Amino acid sequence: QMIESHPDKPNGYIQSVPYLLAENRGSEAVSLLEDGYKKVNENDRMLELLVTLHVSQKNFDAAINKIQSAIRDNGETAELHMLLARVQLESNNISDAKTSLIKARDIKPDWNSPYLALANIYISKKKNQKAIDVLRSEERRVGKECRSRCSPYH
């Protein structure tokens, strides 16, 4: 009903998904979100839910294509690259995931999520020194930021 009365608002689409999934109607949930995503002017919450549904159905190509389309249409954001990295990790595409995380870090260097995700990849691959290096680069960035903000001399 919410979709019929407010087709340009994301809540009706988002709230319909659990009901469809509970009835084993996953493909309908995907179709509904695809349709809603276009009508709601590409809402970020809907994109993330749509990508999550594709990943849960092991439809990694559809998820990656949807994110790459959002990047093309809306510009590169750290959040989109983090979402892309999450899908790439789920599909075991570690190399591309690292590239996406580095892009997210470069776009938004004050956000710690890309650093932590990169470190987790290195730890999982038993590359502990690389993980330490990534975390230390984050620590230096945060420490420098804190020192400059907290110092009575700046």
Side-chain angles (χ1 to χ4, degrees):
Q1 282 182 330
M2 278 185 72
I3 294 172
E4 291 173 11
S5 58
H6 301 287
D8 59 336
K9 304 283 187 223
N11 290 344
Y13 298 97
I14 292 169
Q15 291 173 3
S16 298
V17 170
Y19 298 108
L20 292 171
L21 294 176
E23 296 176 1
N24 290 323
R25 295 165 50 195
S27 60
E28 284 182 58
V30 169
S31 295
L32 179 72
L33 279 175
E34 288 279 3
D35 186 50
Y37 183 69
K38 293 172 191 161
K39 289 179 181 175
V40 176
N41 198 20
E42 301 177 350
N43 178 278
D44 290 342
R45 285 180 27 223
M46 290 180 72
L47 174 64
E48 189 165 353
L49 184 55
L50 184 56
V51 165
T52 300
L53 280 174
H54 282 309
V55 169
S56 72
Q57 296 173 352
K58 305 292 185 213
N59 194 350
F60 301 114
D61 288 341
I64 289 170
N65 289 337
K66 184 55 77 180
I67 299 165
Q68 288 174 335
S69 176
I71 290 170
R72 273 192 309 277
D73 295 345
N74 304 317
E76 299 205 23
T77 67
E79 292 79 9
L80 286 174
H81 282 288
M82 281 294 295
L83 184 59
L84 183 58
R86 193 182 95 207
V87 174
Q88 291 163 330
L89 286 170
E90 283 284 330
S91 66
N92 209 26
N93 189 342
I94 307 302
S95 177
D96 285 350
K98 285 194 287 190
T99 300
S100 295
L101 290 169
I102 290 167
K103 282 184 183 178
R105 180 199 64 196
D106 292 346
I107 292 169
K108 198 172 185 180
D110 59 335
W111 189 29
N112 67 358
S113 294
Y115 295 91
L116 296 174
L118 273 168
N120 280 331
I121 289 172
Y122 291 129
I123 289 168
S124 72
K125 296 291 182 188
K126 308 280 190 247
K127 295 181 178 180
N128 294 340
Q129 188 56 52
K130 285 197 94 143
I132 291 168
D133 293 344
V134 167
L135 293 173
R136 282 197 175 137
S137 72
E138 167 64 353
E139 178 184 50
R140 278 192 298 277
R141 183 196 60 77
V142 170
K144 184 178 181 182
E145 182 180 306
C146 288
R147 283 190 300 276
S148 67
R149 265 194 277 155
C150 301
S151 172
Y153 304 109
H154 289 88

